[in-house]
Amino acid sequence: MYVGKTLFAQVMEFVPWTSFARIVHRYRGNAGVRALSCAEQFRAMAFAQLTWRESLRDIEVSLSANASKLYAMGFRVAVKRSTLADANESRDWRIWFDLAALLIRRARKLYASDSLGVELDNTVYALDSTTIDLCLSLFDWAPFRSTKAAIKLHTLLDLRGSIPAFIHISDGKLHDVNVLDMLSLEAGAFYVMDRGYVDFERLYTLHQAGAFFVTRAKSPMDARRVYSAPVDRDTGVICDQRVMLNGYYSAKKYPEHLRRIRFKDPESGKTLVFLTNNTALPALTICALYKSRWQVELFFKWIKQHLRIKKFLGTSENAVKTQVWCAVATYVLIAIVKKELQLNASLYTCLQILSVSVFEKTQLSCALQPDNSGTELPTDTNQLILFNF
């Protein structure tokens, strides 16, 4: 891989370019293109993500300052901001959606054996959404409130490796629970959600598909106890019950038993009520699964801090979706690099190193391995040391 190539060029070698060419052909992405092919467009957008560029001019200036290295990075000609803007506006955003999906499938295979922190062989997903505020006068296609616009990223996160298995981009008005209708449900998998997704008809559809759900009960919940299992209250589990819904319409929507677990968090002192259709796992495991849902919140916080998805390079729906999907593809690509090269560094560390050294010509595995060696002074030195506390 490394023969005097820049770090950026080495990262781009992990992109399956042959499969990407088929995707581009499917959507006629390069039809009539004279400058900036789809491959170059992705390189420019990935460069913007890795180096934290926040405008088209910023991308153009940063690349032109290293003009002698552009050909080796995959650029045939210099990148002009007008050309990149036109490409983001006009080329089908599904090209980048399919590329991200391709990379996600590869990453999930690489991270399939990672530990969940819970003794469980099943796949565990966390489902949630995050809102990105926009200006209503510029993004009128994404209504949210009367005075502002927004988009929502509805994300199904595979908790092994924190890889997004599904992302849907909608305007801010789409209610979270509607995303359950869009999922390809996987039998035997666990779907962990907050109580905003409690819709008994949709949960029963999930149950009939052979999947499991873990969520929190809304208050108040009209249900009657059918059976209580013995519990050890010293563990924090107050009760473990089978319940039936009482409401006429609720009972029709979910006509079978639900498992209700009441748990008192020893740290916060709060009492939480969980609902699940799994009757085999211990109550504490169900509680631990819901606690792991917090990883999706950390994922949203992380991508908002370290990927460029809060300031957009274009205002059309196509341009916004192009930027978001290129950001997701870049995130997953770095996750693949980390796993393929067996790096101990975190994704944050890898991105920080790349952000300041993409033009460096060094071996990628060496560059992304942080140097933890310290300088040790000899014990008999006569040199004074300040602040040696």
Side-chain angles (χ1 to χ4, degrees):
M1 177 187 294
Y2 169 65
V3 189
K5 296 180 181 179
T6 62
L7 291 179
F8 182 82
Q10 292 177 64
V11 168
M12 288 296 107
E13 289 184 351
F14 286 87
V15 178
W17 292 113
T18 303
S19 299
F20 179 70
R22 288 195 290 267
I23 293 171
V24 173
H25 179 72
R26 184 185 310 150
Y27 296 105
R28 295 178 53 81
N30 285 334
V33 172
R34 290 180 296 177
L36 199 71
S37 65
C38 286
E40 292 174 296
Q41 182 184 355
F42 176 70
R43 286 185 169 96
M45 296 298 287
F47 172 81
Q49 293 295 330
L50 292 174
T51 59
W52 297 5
R53 305 299 104 192
E54 295 190 341
S55 69
L56 293 166
R57 185 182 295 275
D58 200 1
I59 296 171
E60 180 186 35
V61 171
S62 299
L63 288 174
S64 62
N66 295 272
S68 61
K69 300 175 182 177
L70 293 186
Y71 187 81
M73 292 169 62
F75 297 101
R76 293 175 300 173
V77 295
V79 177
K80 302 298 182 182
R81 62 182 183 274
S82 58
T83 308
L84 182 57
D86 291 341
N88 290 345
E89 292 282 344
S90 59
R91 291 178 190 167
D92 199 325
W93 62 268
R94 291 176 295 177
I95 296 172
W96 322 112
F97 167 79
D98 285 3
L99 173 62
L102 184 67
L103 293 171
I104 284 168
R105 287 194 295 270
R106 181 178 172 189
R108 290 186 64 198
K109 289 179 182 178
L110 292 173
Y111 285 88
S113 60
D114 278 22
S115 174
L116 276 171
V118 179
E119 293 185 6
L120 196 64
D121 294 329
N122 308 58
T123 304
V124 181
Y125 298 107
L127 179 62
D128 208 345
S129 70
T130 188
T131 302
I132 300 174
D133 293 331
L134 304 171
C135 175
L136 185 59
S137 61
L138 296 176
F139 301 86
D140 55 357
W141 52 268
F144 182 42
R145 303 281 188 238
S146 59
T147 57
K148 67 178 180 179
I151 60 170
K152 273 188 177 182
L153 301 185
H154 306 269
T155 304
L156 186 71
L157 193 71
D158 188 341
L159 297 186
R160 297 184 195 274
S162 294
I163 303 298
F166 167 88
I167 294 179
H168 176 69
I169 304 171
S170 73
D171 60 49
K173 286 188 173 182
L174 184 70
H175 195 281
D176 291 351
V177 76
N178 294 300
V179 177
L180 289 173
D181 300 330
M182 305 176 190
L183 300 180
S184 298
L185 299 175
E186 180 182 331
F190 280 82
Y191 293 83
V192 186
M193 307 162 280
D194 64 16
R195 52 190 168 187
Y197 292 89
V198 174
D199 180 286
F200 291 116
E201 185 174 7
R202 290 180 169 94
L203 291 180
Y204 190 59
T205 300
L206 194 150
H207 173 71
Q208 288 181 308
F212 302 107
F213 60 84
V214 178
T215 186
R216 280 183 64 188
K218 289 183 177 180
S219 180
M221 177 180 169
D222 188 10
R224 64 184 184 276
R225 178 178 61 86
V226 176
Y227 169 77
S228 292
V231 298
D232 181 4
R233 293 202 168 206
D234 292 337
T235 61
V237 179
I238 299 173
C239 65
D240 184 358
Q241 303 171 334
R242 307 293 188 274
V243 299
M244 288 290 291
L245 299 174
N246 280 332
Y248 174 77
Y249 293 106
S250 297
K252 286 188 68 176
K253 291 175 181 177
Y254 203 106
E256 296 188 26
H257 289 180
L258 279 165
R259 185 180 182 189
R260 180 173 65 186
I261 299 170
R262 196 179 300 274
F263 175 77
K264 186 173 183 180
D265 188 351
E267 297 179 2
S268 64
K270 292 182 179 180
T271 299
L272 307 174
V273 181
F274 302 120
L275 291 178
T276 183
N277 62 333
N278 183 281
T279 58
L281 291 180
L284 279 178
T285 303
I286 298 295
C287 299
L289 281 176
Y290 188 83
K291 185 177 181 180
S292 67
R293 191 196 70 84
W294 187 247
Q295 288 187 42
V296 73
E297 303 285 356
L298 296 178
F299 171 77
F300 288 141
K301 182 178 180 181
W302 193 93
I303 64 171
K304 283 184 175 181
Q305 288 179 343
H306 302 108
L307 297 181
R308 305 300 97 187
I309 59 170
K310 296 180 75 175
K311 293 184 179 180
F312 291 97
L313 306 177
T315 58
S316 71
E317 182 177 2
N318 194 83
V320 169
K321 288 185 176 181
T322 292
Q323 184 171 338
V324 171
W325 283 115
C326 285
V328 172
T330 304
Y331 168 85
V332 179
L333 182 63
I334 300 304
I336 290 171
V337 170
K338 177 181 181 299
K339 199 69 172 179
E340 290 276 14
L341 298 182
Q342 299 180 355
L343 301 176
N344 295 323
S346 65
L347 278 178
Y348 169 78
T349 301
C350 292
L351 283 172
Q352 289 291 104
I353 294 171
L354 287 171
S355 69
V356 296
S357 58
V358 289
F359 295 110
E360 297 295 325
K361 293 184 177 180
T362 184
Q363 193 167 357
L364 185 61
S365 58
C366 296
L368 297 184
Q369 202 69 265
D371 185 9
N372 295 321
S373 61
T375 303
E376 295 184 4
L377 295 175
T379 55
D380 58 346
T381 181
N382 292 323
Q383 179 66 45
L384 295 177
I385 301 174
L386 291 178
F387 310 113
N388 184 23
F389 298 109

